[in-house]
Amino acid sequence: MSAAPQKARAGAEKIDVIVSAVVPLNELVTRFEFTRADDKAFPPFSAGAHTVVEMRDGDRLRLNPYSLMSDPADSSQYAISVRRDDAGRGGSLFMHRSVKVGDRMKISYPVNLFPLDLRGRKHVFLAGGIGITPFMAMIAHLERMGGAWELHYACRNEALGTYVDQLTSRYPNKVHVYFDDRNQAIALEDLLDGQPLGTHVYVCGPKGMIDWVHATAAAHGWPDENVHSEEFLAPQPGKPFEVRLCRSDITIQVGESESLLEAMERCGVDAPFLCRGGACGQCETDVIEADGTFVHRDHWLDDEDHTSGKKIMPCVSRFVGKSLVLDR
Amino acid sequence: MTIQFNTETFRDDYSFRNSDWAIKRFPFPFHEDSYMYSVNMEQHRGGPEGSVYEKRFDVDEHYVSEMQDRAIVLADDPLRCQSLPHMTLAGWDTLELIMVSKSEDYPDLFELHRDGNRWRWINKPMGIDHTFTFLDETTLPCGPLEYITRQAQGDYAVLDQRGDMLYMDAGMVTTQADWSLDFDIGMDFFEWHAPVPLAHEMGIFKRALKFLLNIQQGAPARRLNWTMTVNPLLDTSPENYHKWGIQKTSLTPENIGAKQHLRVELQTFYRLPRSNALLFPIRCYLIAFQDLVRIPKWGRRLHRVVRDLPDELATYKGFIANRPLMLDYLGRHDDGLPTSPGVWPDLDSEPPLQTQNDARSR
Ligand code: HEM
Ligand code: FES
């Protein structure tokens, strides 16, 4: 099993930050800059990484991922740009309406699900709207490392062209901007055909744009591994739920930002664990009774176990419903 | 804490020795009286004071001599350190991680002074005081990965992560249990694990890979692995099998206690910040059977583990031919008493070995 397993939290560490600037860029997009509350340097990050911002919205906890768009070499601050989404779940509205300079917040360590392929001889970036943000960091990185890149950036109109002026004035030969209201569109087929061997394409934007780029590239014989897109799996803070632990003879509440395992530990139940990441199998627990649905997030149980409703891995998995009784 | 560095060799006259301190803190890998492969991963965020789990990169009495042994291997075979062209940034990440960790964890041994990209690195045990420009290779005598891993115990595999897979695209490998970086370079996670018996069928590698792909910055993990080595050899490479393989036939009942070593690898996993690569340090600890059995619990347990280990594992680990000899020796250090759970020596609570006479006189 183990040597000296630590009861540390699973997943990304958190960083306490202070909002150091709130900069409206246009009608929809605002940049938020953070400094560390403890005055230490931020950890370096890889271009394309995002951070998960924790928002205390009344009695709700919201967790929204935003691409880090500051220069990865600048460890004195992190910056994100947030587009207000009036129809969204509310995280971006909260950022726009409630977050002020001087506020304290918690953000996660950087996580990268959209990395540069460092083997690439050349990197072609295709951005749609707010999809520009990860490319801001990638461009800063490649400029420093002397890598070849070009950007094709589609915006609704000039007024909503976030960072267009900054990009076109700094890199006039590498940045190409297309405005929908002028009927300008990225000539993707020509663009793909003209690239040297070893080029990688990255797309970040609305889902339709991502699908279009993947499909067109495939039709033009591009290997899938040379076409990259960002997939945001928005982390869901689980809803709080109640669990009856029969052997320990107690009923406990699992909060929205803790795992079932952490809740058991908080209540003094000595539950087994090792990896705290859903892989090792140590925390496997039998379900005695359940009225509701499981949210399985582990790699340990097989599909059959997951559908059976007879087992749960408390380090990562959750439950939504009326009642849950575990053999622990 | 001051560490007294040993003067010792891992070849020729094999003067390698563990002090009492090193024996007591040895990472004994068996938490119960039997062993099978498992997804034995846990977080690497410290451990009991003085244990090998406490610091991010453990430094012990063998540091200087292990670095000398590495230099000998590299002089003979430069391909033990390789880095595909796209892995240079990951090399800098590795250099930064090790320099920052060591200077924070062992301030009396290592110092790092940073002024922007102007870095001054002081390694007192090795007598190095070097100023260089971070991310500028021309200011180092060799690549960043080679530079720092010539000053850090253990092997290092650096894995590029692309499309939900890990690729062994760089490394420094001179203290390995019979595998070769030159052979594995560029391979993916399942390819380089192909020779391992049973674990594939048990689903271990699939689960382990998913866990590794999710390892995040600031949240490193660790696991232990183990094998057996005759003579305290660090470099048991396939390249040199002709030199060390035959030493396995030199075991006798008289010399086994001194010659036969349990070899334990403390493997850690770090997400690297700038490159998004995964760093896999593999730190090797050796202990002679005669030292190990001085901890009564460990002597009892090792006997039972070796006795009951499936043949496939004993074959893969290369000691099936010597198993009878080992059991003869270890059996004399197993009185059949129960052992306490967990890996720790428990010297205060575990009884000393009951000899035949003790048993009879009762
Ligand atoms: C990315 C990190 C890893 C690297 C670079 C790595 C590399 C290796 C290599 C080179 C071998 C020797 C194979 C041979 O015989 O040629 C090996 C063996 C093995 N690996 Fe890994 N490994 C990694 C992670 C893991 C993880 C996370 C696990 C599991 C839970 C694992 C389980 C094993 C096992 C069970 C063996 C057989 C060891 C023995 O019996 O002595 N490895 N690994
Ligand atoms: S602790 Fe490893 S699967 Fe839950």
Side-chain angles (χ1 to χ4, degrees), chain B residues 37 41 159 179 192-193 195-196 205 223 225 280 316-317:
Chain B
Y37 291 145
M41 256 127 40
L159 301 316
W179 65 279
W192 79 64
H193 277 126
V196 180
F205 290 122
R223 69 182 286 267
N225 187 42
F280 180 56
Y316 174 74
K317 290 175 188 287

Side-chain angles (χ1 to χ4, degrees), chain B residues 67-139:
Chain B
M67 293 301 97
Q68 285 163 351
D69 196 71
R70 165 156 294 162
I72 296 171
V73 176
L74 285 169
D76 211 41
D77 183 0
L79 290 179
R80 297 304 188 86
C81 183
Q82 300 191 35
S83 176
L84 297 182
H86 62 282
M87 297 302 281
T88 305
L89 188 60
W92 285 108
D93 271 331
T94 306
L95 174 141
E96 179 180 37
L97 176 67
I98 295 178
M99 286 187 179
V100 169
S101 303
K102 284 195 165 181
S103 59
E104 287 175 0
D105 293 350
Y106 299 93
D108 52 334
L109 299 180
F110 305 95
E111 288 174 28
L112 179 64
H113 304 278
R114 291 185 279 187
D115 175 14
N117 277 347
R118 257 341 246 173
W119 290 22
R120 180 173 172 211
W121 166 245
I122 301 173
N123 175 339
K124 291 181 193 162
M126 293 180 72
I128 293 168
D129 181 344
H130 188 75
T131 300
F132 62 97
T133 307
F134 187 67
L135 295 178
D136 180 354
E137 276 195 87
T138 61
T139 60

Side-chain angles (χ1 to χ4, degrees), chain A residues 21-22 30 42 44 85 92 102 144 152 224-225 238 263-264 287 301 316:
Chain A
V22 177
T30 297
F42 277 106
D85 182 359
S92 70
R144 179 160 304 102
H152 298 266
D224 214 33
E225 59 170 51
M264 292 197 245
V287 175
L301 301 172
V316 289

Side-chain angles (χ1 to χ4, degrees), chain B residues 61 113 119 142 205 216 224 265 285 343 354:
Chain B
E61 62 193 25
H113 304 278
W119 290 22
C142 53
F205 290 122
Q216 293 176 6
L224 294 176
E265 294 173 349
Y285 295 86
V343 294
Q354 313 289 298

Side-chain angles (χ1 to χ4, degrees), chain A residues 314-327:
Chain A
C315 64
V316 289
S317 298
R318 306 183 68 89
F319 180 79
V320 185
K322 273 214 204 111
S323 67
L324 175 64
V325 183
L326 298 180
D327 183 20

